[in-house]
Amino acid sequence: MSDSYQPKPDHKFTFGLWTVGNPGGDAFGQPVRRKLSPVEIVHVVAEAGAYGVNLHDNDLVPIDANAAECDRIVAEFKRALSDTGIVVPMATTNLFSDPAFKDGAFTANDPKVRAYALQKTMRAIDLGVELGAKIYVFWGGREGVESDAAKNPLDAGKRFREAINFLCEYVRDNRYDLKFALEAKPNEPRGDIYLPTTGAMLGFIATLDHPDMVGVNPEMAHEQMAGLDFMHAVAQAWDAGKLFHIDLNDQNFCRYDQDFRFGSHNLKQSFFLVKFLEDVGYAGSRHFDAHAYRTEDAEGVKDFARGCMRSYLILKDKTARFNADAEIQALLKEINADDPTVAAFAGKYSRDKANALKAHPFDRIALGNRGMRYEKLDQLVFDLLMGIR
Ligand code: GLT
Ligand code: MN
Ligand code: MN
């Protein structure tokens, strides 16, 4: 593999313990790979050249571990971090695996489950902060329904809001340097999950007591499951100042949660996403929330991890080529050219401006006849991505 695509810590590439550690079980079949310990995963990720690992509380500490076991596991894990230089930029809570959460966590109908979810999350926040995390993700995989007879979405929304408000206060009270990032998903494992898209999350954040502490963690495959353009969701989050974290992966549109290697499926969408992140100067983690195909062994897992980062770096290189390509840039300039005959109408409203615009003659037929040259532009992008230019 070419050296120019070698990952470095500055690239901020991270993997979840649950991603590289995924043993390949699915709804129809057993695991196919040995379960790696958190310490082993840290070494795999470090050898692949990543910057960090992210974790759920129970990726590291089993849900039924006692205090002494917990201390031992955390100490061993910290040693692996310091041996390798791997950091933990993000942490989260597993509020979906245990049967206690079968009807949700913060939105569960049983108030004891809701209280337990808060307790588990406060403890997991303490652990994440201890490990150095600055971002705390909330993915509510069980926060939904199969039947709307079971739960009123207004109640669910109120409960979710109360939980996030409570936890924001907990972080403030403890003076933790921690921000929250909400991750949307349309369905799976619930039939329908509340707040199913990044756009829905952004609307919800505005209703919180401390909206400044809360942003989003958009996941590529989750928007694609809903048939949406991921880069547009990311752009809206960026515009709102809410792109606190990002989950990169890939998948076929409108299917189950495939979590494929980044760059493995939708080449152009992946390119425009990388281009967006690089052009705006997104400085957060590039987290790969994906896993190796079930066909792979331990070596295939390494191929998967290296492949995610390599594809990102290749697409970053393509971004630089796109931005430096004289023909593409000339075409973009032509497409976006200002028109002095209407320049006076742009920008802020004034009554004079509105009156002048209302009186302005437009050649509607000519507007409709203009060719936009997008076919040519898009083919240039294709040629560039294929290495022809
Ligand atoms: C789970 C889910 C991911 C979330 C993780 C964080 S866990 O694997 O599919 O999209 O980001 O809870
Ligand atoms: Mn996913
Ligand atoms: Mn995710």
Side-chain angles (χ1 to χ4, degrees), residues 183-188 190-201 218-233 249-259 266 269:
E183 178 177 346
K185 189 176 183 184
N187 57 275
E188 204 186 326
R190 294 313 291 265
D192 283 284
I193 299 177
Y194 297 124
L195 301 169
T197 62
T198 298
M201 286 297 182
E219 173 171 320
M220 184 152 173
H222 293 178
E223 304 289 322
Q224 290 171 333
M225 284 173 75
L228 300 175
D229 184 312
F230 181 56
M231 191 267 276
H232 294 185
N249 52 11
D250 209 347
Q251 80 159 62
N252 227 321
F253 270 66
C254 298
R255 298 213 178 157
Y256 71 96
D257 185 19
Q258 296 180 307
D259 288 338
N266 296 290
Q269 292 231 340

Side-chain angles (χ1 to χ4, degrees), residues 64-248:
D64 46 10
N66 63 33
E69 283 162 351
C70 175
D71 289 349
R72 180 183 54 74
I73 292 167
V74 172
E76 274 174 12
F77 186 67
K78 280 185 175 167
R79 210 170 311 124
L81 295 176
S82 72
D83 287 349
T84 55
I86 289 289
V87 296
V88 178
M90 177 274 256
T92 181
T93 330
N94 185 326
L95 295 172
F96 44 88
S97 295
D98 195 86
F101 300 120
K102 63 190 175 190
D103 183 38
F106 303 137
T107 66
N109 274 337
D110 185 337
K112 278 207 187 75
V113 173
R114 300 202 295 273
Y116 172 57
L118 279 181
Q119 180 201 67
K120 191 172 192 290
T121 304
M122 286 189 289
R123 291 178 177 173
I125 285 176
D126 295 345
L127 174 66
V129 169
E130 184 186 341
L131 294 171
K134 297 277 188 287
I135 298 289
Y136 202 85
V137 162
F138 289 83
W139 173 67
R142 299 277 173 202
E143 313 290 13
V145 285
E146 287 69 45
S147 165
D148 281 323
K151 225 177 273 177
N152 180 335
L154 292 177
D155 290 340
K158 185 166 165 284
R159 291 169 186 168
F160 193 61
R161 183 178 302 112
E162 273 175 14
I164 298 294
N165 283 339
F166 185 100
L167 293 164
C168 281
E169 295 297 351
Y170 179 73
V171 166
R172 289 163 64 90
D173 195 22
N174 284 279
R175 302 193 186 288
Y176 288 155
D177 177 15
L178 191 69
K179 288 197 163 182
F180 291 172
L182 308 183
E183 178 177 346
K185 189 176 183 184
N187 57 275
E188 204 186 326
R190 294 313 291 265
D192 283 284
I193 299 177
Y194 297 124
L195 301 169
T197 62
T198 298
M201 286 297 182
L202 288 168
F204 171 77
I205 290 168
T207 71
L208 294 170
D209 289 348
H210 298 289
D212 47 310
M213 288 177 65
V214 185
V216 290
N217 176 38
E219 173 171 320
M220 184 152 173
H222 293 178
E223 304 289 322
Q224 290 171 333
M225 284 173 75
L228 300 175
D229 184 312
F230 181 56
M231 191 267 276
H232 294 185
V234 170
Q236 191 190 351
W238 176 263
D239 184 59
K242 293 295 185 192
L243 189 64
F244 288 6
H245 199 264
I246 192 162
D247 277 3
L248 302 175

Side-chain angles (χ1 to χ4, degrees), residues 315-350:
L315 293 175
K316 183 176 171 180
D317 179 55
K318 294 290 183 191
T319 295
R321 286 170 195 263
F322 180 102
N323 290 340
D325 188 299
E327 197 176 353
I328 290 177
Q329 292 308 316
L331 209 43
L332 281 173
K333 207 166 160 208
E334 184 188 325
I335 288 164
N336 287 291
D338 280 339
D339 186 324
T341 65
V342 289
F345 305 133
K348 220 168 172 267
Y349 177 86
S350 76

